[in-house]
Amino acid sequence: MTRPPLTPDPTPDTRLRRAALAVLLAAFVGLAAVYNLNLPAFKAPDEASHFYYAAYLVRARALPEPVAGAPGDFRAQALHEAFQPPLYYALVAAAIAPFDLSELDAFVNRQNGDWYDLPGVPNLYSHWPDEAARFPGPLAALRVARLVSTLLGALTLAGLIAIAGALLPGQPWAPLLAGALLAFTPKFLHMSASVSNDIAVTCAATLACAWMLTSARRCPDADAGRRALAEGLVAGGLIAAAALCKVGGIALLAPAFVWAVWRAPRAIAARGLGVIVGLLLAGGWWFVRNLALYGDPLAWARAEAANAVTQRPEPLDAIAILASVPVWLQSLWGDLAIRQALPGWMDAFFWLVLAVG
């Protein structure tokens, strides 16, 4: 007698959605590879400093410290991002460790002095037609480092699709539409093909929100006790991962508080305890280190000192903040390089896409 399968065969519609998901992810990775190969080295904002941080971990096997200096000073520029938490850079360092980085300083030290002094100069960095021959090791390492960002971008897409599926369980194609809106946004592709911890904190935050949302939709009565504690531990670990990518990731504690009390009154204590314990187990060492070295767990004063040249003398008022909102929104799809923006017709198109999204 033939036993029935443990799980029923997927329906044709389910198979079609799975095939569409595979095509979406493949198209995203392919387009990110096109960006990777065509973007000149360090064209993305601060990519040189992000890459140098990861390479520093490979060469020095120690965390870097920011160096004070005027704009254009090589050491100050190269270690500008040294105030950032280390998780993303450790992932990149593991990927680029096999490459020859002996020419790293010469590869990174290419700032165009005219950019600071002359109006209308678009390129912050100089480039050479024979870069591949002059810097084969560092350039190959840069391409691989960008692939790490592409992997994180693909994980972000998966998290977003899970969120859409949890929010719209009766709309089986909505998650793919949401994924496509993100996957084919130029800025997201650019982030996923550049060396920057921005894609890392985006990925960790998306996965944390996906985990909290999908677990919150389970039966509340089943969330009490050990299961709720385990869910909290995972949420806390993902929040720690976000904070270890970029300090702003700690703000995920706000939605975690909402999640802890959402639809599960018997699970509040277990979930809340799990979040705190998971956060401390995964990221506590970083907070303790900062407290010992800099006097506060987030090392915020250290970050402000590293970015003192960009700080405003006075805070923005409410009117100025509202006036800047369109620029912030435009950065969701544009702002692909320093002082370079998309043409107006593309902005209009993506405003429409944003409204549809």
Side-chain angles (χ1 to χ4, degrees):
M1 181 176 178
T2 304
R3 293 183 179 181
L6 295 178
T7 57
D9 291 333
T11 64
D13 188 60
T14 300
R15 289 195 294 268
L16 181 59
R17 289 198 306 272
R18 290 177 180 174
L21 175 60
V23 170
L24 173 64
L25 290 173
F28 167 76
V29 172
L31 286 171
V34 172
Y35 272 63
N36 187 338
L37 295 174
N38 285 279
L39 284 171
F42 313 138
K43 202 65 181 175
D46 298 320
E47 186 179 43
S49 301
H50 290 297
F51 179 69
Y52 196 88
Y53 186 154
Y56 183 96
L57 294 181
V58 174
R59 300 201 303 176
R61 301 187 182 277
L63 292 175
E65 288 288 339
V67 174
D73 177 81
F74 169 66
R75 294 295 295 175
Q77 171 267 318
L79 290 172
H80 171 71
E81 299 295 334
F83 67 91
Q84 301 274 12
L87 180 56
Y88 170 73
Y89 306 100
L91 295 175
V92 173
I96 66 174
F99 294 92
D100 179 10
L101 299 175
S102 58
E103 296 294 325
L104 175 69
D105 286 7
F107 180 61
V108 174
N109 188 15
R110 57 169 74 197
Q111 278 204 357
N112 180 7
D114 291 340
W115 186 84
Y116 291 98
D117 302 324
L118 300 178
V121 176
N123 292 322
L124 175 58
Y125 288 91
S126 301
H127 303 283
W128 304 279
D130 60 342
E131 278 189 353
R134 293 181 64 175
F135 307 108
L139 184 59
L142 178 67
R143 303 295 188 202
V144 170
R146 288 174 170 179
L147 286 177
V148 174
S149 294
T150 300
L151 175 61
L152 296 175
L155 288 174
T156 303
L157 274 178
L160 176 72
I161 290 169
I163 289 172
L167 288 174
L168 301 166
Q171 303 292 330
W173 287 96
L176 281 172
L177 175 60
L181 285 171
L182 179 65
F184 303 129
T185 298
K187 181 60 177 180
F188 184 70
L189 279 163
H190 184 262
M191 286 174 56
S192 301
S194 305
V195 183
S196 171
N197 62 344
D198 287 339
I199 189 62
V201 69
T202 301
C203 177
T206 303
L207 295 180
C209 291
W211 173 259
M212 291 187 285
L213 182 60
T214 54
S215 62
R217 298 187 64 85
R218 300 190 188 107
C219 177
D221 292 336
D223 283 342
R226 288 181 295 178
R227 178 172 178 173
L229 179 63
E231 290 175 346
L233 286 170
V234 174
L238 290 171
I239 293 171
L244 288 173
C245 291
K246 200 162 187 174
V247 69
I250 199 70
L252 286 165
L253 286 173
F257 171 79
V258 176
W259 168 75
V261 302
W262 186 260
R263 298 177 60 211
R266 293 199 301 158
I268 294 174
R271 275 182 173 173
L273 178 63
V275 168
I276 298 302
V277 172
L279 175 69
L280 293 177
L281 285 176
W285 67 272
W286 175 250
F287 305 134
V288 171
R289 175 186 181 273
N290 289 338
L291 188 63
L293 291 178
Y294 311 114
D296 74 272
L298 299 181
W300 191 249
R302 180 171 174 249
E304 287 188 324
N307 293 277
V309 69
T310 65
Q311 293 182 20
R312 301 179 183 87
E314 298 293 337
L316 289 174
D317 57 27
I319 295 177
I321 291 174
L322 290 175
S324 66
V325 167
V327 179
W328 295 353
L329 290 174
Q330 283 173 279
S331 72
L332 288 174
W333 56 79
D335 193 22
L336 303 188
I338 300 174
R339 293 186 186 174
Q340 295 190 24
L342 297 177
W345 70 267
M346 292 188 70
D347 276 336
F349 172 77
F350 282 106
W351 276 113
L352 178 61
V353 172
L354 179 63
V356 172

